[in-house]
Amino acid sequence: MQITGGQGAADGFSTPVSQTPVHAAAELTEHGPTAYIRHLDQVYTLRITRANKLILTK
């Protein structure tokens, strides 16, 4: 997998791309259609659609 781009993003973070972790969606979902991601006190659902698109919902 190749990731291109400069430093940072619109959110103001300045982590260089080479230091940003990359996670395969299939590994996060354990090769199923969904995974739950906890951030602080909220739980989000990551879903892989039949069209292989990713949807992240609260």
Side-chain angles (χ1 to χ4, degrees):
M1 172 184 290
Q2 182 178 2
I3 298 176
T4 59
Q7 290 185 333
D11 60 10
F13 289 99
S14 61
T15 303
V17 173
S18 63
Q19 294 178 3
T20 302
V22 177
H23 303 280
E27 290 176 9
L28 290 174
T29 63
E30 296 181 350
H31 300 279
T34 59
Y36 297 106
I37 301 170
R38 185 177 57 237
H39 176 64
L40 302 174
D41 62 344
Q42 300 291 317
V43 176
Y44 297 81
T45 301
L46 176 69
R47 185 167 62 92
I48 302 174
T49 68
R50 283 184 247 162
N52 281 322
K53 305 280 184 184
L54 294 178
I55 299 176
L56 183 65
T57 56
K58 194 170 185 182

